Amino acid sequence: KACLPPLEETGRPRPSPAPAPPKPPAYLGFFFVFTFDSTTTSAVDSPRLENRVGIIAILMRSQSYHRNVGIMLISCITLAESRMSRGALRAVGSKTGLWRSMPGDLNKIRRPFNRAFHFEKRQPCTETNSLVFTDDLEMQLQKLIQERRMKRGENSGPRPHVPAIAFDIDGVFKMGGKYTSFGATALRKVVDSGLPYVLMTNGGGGRTEEQYAEEINKKLQEFDEDKSGNGRYVDGDQMILSYTPFDSDLSHLKNEPVLIVGSHRIIETATHYGFRKAMHLSEYTCKHPTMNPFGSTGNEKDDCVINLAREEWDEDFKAILVFTDPENFFEGIQVLTDVLLSSRPGDVEYEANRRIPIVFSNPDLLWKTQYPHARFGQGAFRLALEACYKARMQSLGLSEIEIKERLGDFVQYGKPEISQFLHTKRALLKQANVIGCDISHYYMIGDNPTSDIHGAQNMDKRALQNKEKRWSGHLVKTGVYREGDDDGGAEKIFENVLDSVDFIIDAHKEEIAQLSKARKASMSS
């Protein structure tokens, strides 16, 4: 993970520009966009500014920028301040985490061209430091919920406090395409109890959240006794897929050309999210067929695929988004390495002053299918790509510092990343507000100690630091985990998800009874 580098004030006057300055990073265009928008931002329209500052913060985390970019950033903020109250601007900055890396008070950066700033050093990542600055977004969400409750006159008394549950899918409810009866029974019990819950997976298979929810409903309804198919188990807003955060966290890329990696249908999901200039990896390689020297049979391609006319390398991707595993492992490694090294791979092999992020949605090395033993996941593809990309940079003569910085452009989402769990937590808070309850405890039920249990532990550490509601990890034996394996520090280990749900419902039966009573009273009134 690439974290936001600290700014170091040199104290020296800004040096005169060099006769031939190096080409600025490709992301400089975003700063100009921000400058334009900030001049028209008002104090009542702070979410727009918050979005731009968040964009800058994300971009800064994945780059070691030229100092002029830093000065441009400070200039943008100064322009924005001219249209907003200082308190409003500082609120936006603290919400995105930007001020945490700014030296001194805002007054010290009102004249940005009097000082120069270095961006060379990187701040090491920690378990509580995520890619996107969302550390206090759930607090803001809770504040908004409270304000809306007050407007609706719902503060007449305390609300019930109940547990919330995040379920993994593969290895918990299903193995490959085969769903289980005990999984259906477990989820039905949670639905009937009225608890807030989500299904959180490091997969998705290229489907949208709504499509995956419909598939799960259809499969689990087969176990319903009445076979009517009327009972719903989950809706789209209760699905947190590995790439679900791309929709919100990468919104700054929706009008930029991006290369999409994954199954063929993932391009439809990317378009559904609003990535208007997305190009699938297969479309890119069809446009440039000689990038992959091998055909579908594994043999070298015939001469007939070679077009002797000059190719147009005009894509200029601003990012690579890995939604799911590539359909062709070799092609993915080869072509992504080319694109990371150059915007015009066929014309220029390596561009030193150009870098783009590559965003992965799933770090899992292994996952559970119908095969008796675990299979490689997207995490294996990332490991292979990193190794080949590093070796290729070494062969091009890049220094170890340059190689390390370029590998810092690899950005990770998915469990156990805190950024992924924060999306889940916010989804649960929204559900709790709709139900009319508050959350007393969070449970993560999964089959993978590395992703599910480790993620729950990270959130629990964060909860302890911030004095928030605690998290517990429940491990089940129906997936990756096997008896005798390292359990990753799971609080409880169960035979299957039904046993875990029964334990939670029994442990919180008084709270659930209060919720049921409150809901009946609400319906009668």
Side-chain angles (χ1 to χ4, degrees):
K1 292 187 294 184
C3 289
L4 180 64
L7 301 173
E8 291 188 356
E9 192 171 11
T10 64
R12 298 190 297 273
R14 185 179 180 224
S16 301
K23 181 181 177 182
Y27 284 123
L28 189 57
F30 285 110
F31 293 99
F32 286 112
V33 173
F34 177 79
T35 305
F36 177 81
D37 286 354
S38 64
T39 58
T40 60
T41 301
S42 64
V44 297
D45 197 22
S46 60
R48 291 181 59 206
L49 178 62
E50 173 195 331
N51 188 40
R52 303 307 190 278
V53 176
I55 291 169
I56 292 171
I58 295 171
L59 295 173
M60 287 175 62
R61 290 176 73 93
S62 60
Q63 300 288 338
S64 290
Y65 281 102
H66 191 275
R67 69 177 59 183
N68 288 344
V69 178
I71 294 170
M72 179 64 71
L73 169 60
I74 308 303
S75 303
C76 296
I77 295 173
T78 304
L79 284 169
E81 188 192 3
S82 68
R83 290 284 182 176
M84 294 183 66
S85 68
R86 186 171 304 174
L89 183 63
R90 181 171 293 279
V92 171
S94 64
K95 193 170 182 180
T96 59
L98 189 60
W99 298 127
R100 281 180 280 171
S101 58
M102 290 293 183
D105 190 74
L106 185 62
N107 290 321
K108 296 182 182 180
I109 60 173
R110 287 183 63 83
R111 298 181 180 274
F113 290 102
N114 290 344
R115 303 285 184 180
F117 297 94
H118 286 301
F119 287 84
E120 284 79 4
K121 293 185 179 180
R122 289 178 178 272
Q123 175 184 340
C125 292
T126 64
E127 289 183 341
T128 57
N129 201 3
S130 60
L131 165 71
V132 184
F133 297 105
T134 56
D135 287 354
D136 63 346
L137 282 183
E138 69 270 16
M139 183 180 68
Q140 300 293 331
L141 177 62
Q142 287 174 322
K143 183 178 178 181
L144 178 62
I145 290 172
Q146 186 70 11
E147 290 174 353
R148 290 182 177 177
R149 285 177 57 199
M150 292 179 66
K151 287 181 180 179
R152 294 197 300 259
E154 295 180 3
N155 270 354
S156 56
R159 302 207 301 180
H161 287 68
V162 296
I165 306 176
F167 293 97
D168 186 21
I169 301 177
D170 291 290
V172 176
F173 292 106
K174 70 185 184 80
M175 291 76 195
K178 184 179 180 180
Y179 284 78
T180 62
S181 59
F182 58 77
T185 303
L187 198 52
R188 177 53 59 193
K189 284 189 174 184
V190 175
V191 172
D192 293 342
S193 67
L195 300 179
Y197 67 97
V198 296
L199 272 59
M200 182 186 188
T201 176
N202 268 354
R207 292 159 287 212
T208 65
E209 290 77 8
E210 293 75 15
Q211 289 170 342
Y212 206 162
E214 287 304 315
E215 178 185 308
I216 291 175
N217 284 321
K218 183 178 179 181
K219 294 287 187 179
L220 294 184
Q221 284 166 3
E222 295 177 2
F223 299 102
D224 290 346
E225 292 182 1
D226 60 4
K227 303 294 182 182
S228 64
N230 296 324
R232 293 187 62 83
Y233 287 84
V234 63
D235 292 318
D237 57 3
Q238 294 173 287
M239 300 294 299
I240 308 295
L241 311 183
S242 64
Y243 42 80
T244 295
F246 288 9
D247 188 14
S248 57
D249 289 0
L250 305 183
S251 59
H252 59 287
L253 294 171
K254 289 186 176 180
N255 286 317
E256 300 294 337
V258 292
L259 182 61
I260 303 297
V261 180
S263 62
H264 267 76
R265 63 178 170 182
I266 199 62
I267 194 66
E268 298 175 4
T269 301
T271 304
H272 173 75
Y273 283 173
F275 291 99
R276 299 170 184 85
K277 299 181 181 179
M279 178 180 283
H280 193 276
L281 177 64
S282 61
E283 181 183 355
Y284 183 65
T285 54
C286 283
K287 184 179 177 182
H288 306 290
T290 58
M291 294 186 78
N292 178 4
F294 301 107
S296 59
T297 61
N299 297 318
E300 190 170 354
K301 290 178 180 176
D302 297 330
D303 292 340
C304 63
V305 303
I306 299 176
N307 185 354
L308 297 179
R310 181 175 177 81
E311 291 185 67
E312 293 294 331
W313 300 88
D314 55 358
E315 295 84 8
D316 194 20
F317 296 119
K318 296 300 186 290
I320 301 170
L321 309 183
V322 185
F323 278 71
T324 67
D325 308 60
E327 295 179 328
N328 185 324
F329 228 66
F330 170 81
E331 184 170 87
I333 292 172
Q334 178 64 74
V335 175
L336 297 193
T337 297
D338 292 338
V339 174
L340 287 168
L341 290 171
S342 174
S343 63
R344 299 174 290 119
D347 293 337
V348 180
E349 187 172 27
Y350 170 60
E351 293 174 312
N353 295 319
R354 176 255 186 196
R355 284 165 53 189
I356 62 173
I358 176 169
V359 187
F360 296 86
S361 69
N362 176 4
D364 283 353
L365 175 68
L366 302 171
W367 68 297
K368 187 69 178 72
T369 68
Q370 287 177 269
Y371 188 75
H373 310 296
R375 303 288 84 190
F376 283 135
Q378 192 185 128
F381 174 69
R382 173 175 172 162
L383 287 175
L385 177 61
E386 278 186 302
C388 292
Y389 183 41
K390 180 178 180 180
R392 188 70 185 96
M393 288 189 287
Q394 290 172 336
S395 70
L396 291 170
L398 274 68
S399 68
E400 289 301 316
I401 294 177
E402 290 174 310
I403 292 173
K404 184 177 180 181
E405 288 182 346
R406 283 185 169 267
L407 290 176
D409 296 332
F410 283 51
V411 178
Q412 187 67 66
Y413 275 87
K415 300 176 294 183
E417 298 296 317
I418 284 183
S419 57
Q420 196 83 4
F421 273 84
L422 288 176
H423 276 268
T424 297
K425 184 176 180 181
R426 289 193 292 276
L428 290 169
L429 286 169
K430 291 177 183 177
Q431 265 193 75
N433 183 56
V434 172
I435 294 170
C437 64
D438 293 323
I439 296 175
S440 61
H441 197 91
Y442 294 90
Y443 289 93
M444 176 71 217
I445 303 176
D447 69 306
N448 192 325
T450 303
S451 59
D452 301 316
I453 304 306
H454 189 197
Q457 287 183 327
N458 287 344
M459 289 299 288
D460 193 51
K461 291 176 184 177
R462 183 178 177 279
L464 283 171
Q465 292 173 354
N466 298 337
K467 297 181 179 179
E468 298 171 344
K469 300 303 180 183
R470 300 287 300 274
W471 283 72
S472 296
H474 284 189
L475 192 61
V476 296
K477 301 178 181 179
T478 50
V480 171
Y481 175 77
R482 288 288 183 267
E483 192 77 45
D485 292 348
D486 181 4
D487 61 18
E491 184 173 294
K492 298 283 184 180
I493 301 176
F494 297 93
E495 290 296 324
N496 55 52
V497 64
L498 180 56
D499 291 346
S500 174
V501 166
D502 285 341
F503 173 87
I504 294 170
I505 290 177
D506 183 65
H508 297 270
K509 56 187 176 184
E510 293 182 4
E511 298 173 14
I512 296 172
Q514 291 176 0
L515 174 62
S516 177
K517 183 179 179 181
R519 293 175 70 182
K520 289 178 180 178
S522 176
M523 292 175 63
S524 61
S525 62

